[in-house]
Amino acid sequence: DELCILYEKANLQEATFKRGEAAVRDREEELRALRLELTELERQVMVTRKRLPDMPELAEKAALLQGQLDTERTRTEKLCKELEDPANGERWRSLGGEDPDLDQLSAKVTVLESRLDEKKEQLLEKELVLEEVTTLTQKLRNRASDGRDDTLKLAKRVNEFQARIRDTTRRMMGTVSELSMYQATAMKLQQEKAAKEQELEEAKWKLAHGQAPSDEAEREWYRMESQMLARHEQQLMGGSAAGGGPAPALTVRTTAEPRPNAYIPDEIGIPKPYGNLAPFKPTVGGSTMRHIRMPQPPEIEI
C-alpha cells in the first residue's frame, strides 16, 4: 500500500512538473509575442518620429479627409431616409401570399408538439444508454484499481528481468573481450612458434653443413674462445712473471681486417704502424660512380 501511495505521489509530481513546464512554455511564448509587439511599436515610433517634419502636410490631408467624410455621411443619411420612406415605390416591392388563420396555426402547433414528444422520448433513451455506459465505466475503473497491485508486481518482475539481462549482457561482453584477447595471444604464440621452428630448421641445416647455428651462437662461441685465450694468457703471464721471462704477445682471434705491424716498437709492444699521421684510405666506390665521368686533363706542351 505504501508503495502504491508513493507511485501515486510520484505520478502526481510528474504531472505537476509537466503542467509547470507547459505553463513556462506558454509564458515564454507570450513573452516572445510581447517582445515582437514591443519591437513593432518601437518601429512605428521611429517611423512616426521620422514623419514629424511632414506634420503640416498631414494636417491639411487630415482636414481634407474629414471634409470628405462629412460629405459622405450626409449623403449616407439622405440615402437611408429615401430607403426608409414607404412613399418611394422604387425602393420596395409587394410580396404575395396570405396570413394563416387560427385553425392552420393550431394544426402546426399540434405537429410541433408531437415532434417535441418524439424528441423527448429519444432523449430519455439516450439518458438510459448513458446510465448503462456510466455503470460499465465505473465497473471497469474498479477493476483497473483492483488490478493495480498486479500491475505493480508485474512491473517489479519486468525490472528484475531487465536488470538480469543487463548483467548477463555485461558478462557476455567481458567474456567476448577475454576470448578475443586469448585468440590474439594464441595467434601471436603460433607465429612465434612458427618462427622458432623455422629458426630451428635453419640451425639444424647450418649444423649439418658445418656452420654456426645462428649469429648469436657464433658470437657466444667467439666470446668463450676469447675468454679461454685470456685465461690461458693470464696463466702464461703468471708463469713468465714467476720465471722472469718476457711476456708473450697477445693473440686474439678476430674477423677484423689485418693491420700492418712493420713499425711496432719492441720496447713498448703497442701497435703504431704509421706514427702520428695515418694515411687516408679511400672508400669503395658505390653504384653512383657510373654517373661520374673520369677527368681528362689536357696535355701540357712545354
Side-chain angles (χ1 to χ4, degrees):
D1 295 334
E2 293 180 357
L3 184 60
C4 294
I5 293 171
L6 290 175
Y7 273 115
E8 290 179 358
K9 287 183 179 180
N11 293 330
L12 289 174
Q13 290 179 358
E14 186 175 0
T16 306
F17 182 70
K18 289 181 180 179
R19 288 197 298 272
E21 288 183 348
V24 169
R25 286 195 295 271
D26 294 339
R27 294 298 179 272
E28 288 179 353
E29 291 293 331
E30 292 178 0
L31 181 61
R32 188 174 63 83
L34 291 174
R35 286 178 179 173
L36 293 176
E37 187 176 357
L38 178 61
T39 306
E40 181 66 20
L41 292 174
E42 290 178 352
R43 187 186 64 80
Q44 292 179 3
V45 169
M46 292 294 294
V47 172
T48 307
R49 288 180 179 177
K50 290 181 180 178
R51 290 182 179 178
L52 284 177
D54 301 333
M55 286 300 295
E57 297 179 0
L58 294 175
E60 292 178 0
K61 189 175 181 180
L64 180 61
L65 292 174
Q66 185 67 33
Q68 293 177 0
L69 179 62
D70 295 337
T71 304
E72 294 297 331
R73 283 180 178 175
T74 305
R75 184 180 177 185
T76 303
E77 291 177 358
K78 182 178 178 182
L79 291 174
C80 289
K81 288 179 180 180
E82 290 179 358
L83 180 62
E84 294 173 358
D85 188 6
N88 189 1
E90 296 178 357
R91 295 294 182 181
W92 60 276
R93 64 185 178 87
S94 61
L95 298 176
E98 57 184 7
D99 296 333
D101 55 1
L102 185 60
D103 296 333
Q104 293 178 353
L105 292 175
S106 299
K108 287 184 178 180
V109 169
T110 305
V111 172
L112 292 174
E113 286 179 353
S114 62
R115 291 178 62 185
L116 180 61
D117 294 335
E118 291 178 358
K119 295 296 181 181
K120 286 182 178 180
E121 291 178 358
Q122 293 178 2
L123 180 60
L124 290 174
E125 292 178 357
K126 295 294 178 65
E127 287 180 353
L128 292 174
V129 172
L130 179 61
E131 288 180 359
E132 293 179 358
V133 171
T134 305
T135 305
L136 293 174
T137 305
Q138 188 64 33
K139 290 181 180 179
L140 291 174
R141 286 178 181 176
N142 295 331
R143 289 179 62 185
S145 61
D146 294 336
R148 186 172 298 173
D149 296 335
D150 298 335
T151 305
L152 291 175
K153 292 180 181 178
L154 182 60
K156 289 180 180 179
R157 293 188 63 187
V158 169
N159 292 331
E160 290 176 0
F161 285 130
Q162 288 180 353
R164 291 175 62 184
I165 290 171
R166 287 194 293 269
D167 190 13
T168 307
T169 304
R170 285 196 295 269
R171 291 181 181 178
M172 288 177 62
M173 291 176 65
T175 306
V176 170
S177 301
E178 292 179 359
L179 180 60
S180 61
M181 290 175 62
Y182 290 151
Q183 288 178 351
T185 305
M187 292 175 64
K188 185 177 179 181
L189 292 175
Q190 288 289 340
Q191 293 176 359
E192 291 180 357
K193 179 183 176 183
K196 295 297 182 182
E197 289 178 353
Q198 186 177 1
E199 290 180 1
L200 180 60
E201 293 295 332
E202 291 179 357
K204 288 181 178 179
W205 183 84
K206 288 181 179 180
L207 285 175
H209 289 76
Q211 299 179 6
S214 62
D215 296 338
E216 185 178 357
E218 186 175 4
R219 288 193 297 270
E220 183 66 21
W221 185 78
Y222 284 145
R223 186 180 64 80
M224 292 175 64
E225 286 290 327
S226 300
Q227 290 178 358
M228 290 176 62
L229 290 173
R231 287 196 298 270
H232 183 63
E233 182 183 356
Q234 288 178 1
Q235 292 175 2
L236 292 176
M237 288 178 67
S240 62
L250 180 63
T251 303
V252 178
R253 181 175 178 179
T254 180
T255 57
E257 185 178 355
R259 300 178 64 184
N261 54 4
Y263 300 96
I264 298 176
D266 295 333
E267 63 274 7
I268 59 176
I270 298 174
K272 192 175 182 184
Y274 302 108
N276 293 328
L277 301 174
F280 173 73
K281 181 179 179 180
T283 58
V284 181
S287 61
T288 57
M289 293 298 295
R290 66 178 183 272
H291 302 294
I292 301 173
R293 292 186 298 179
M294 297 298 293
Q296 296 180 359
E299 296 181 358
I300 301 175
E301 296 181 359
I302 301 175

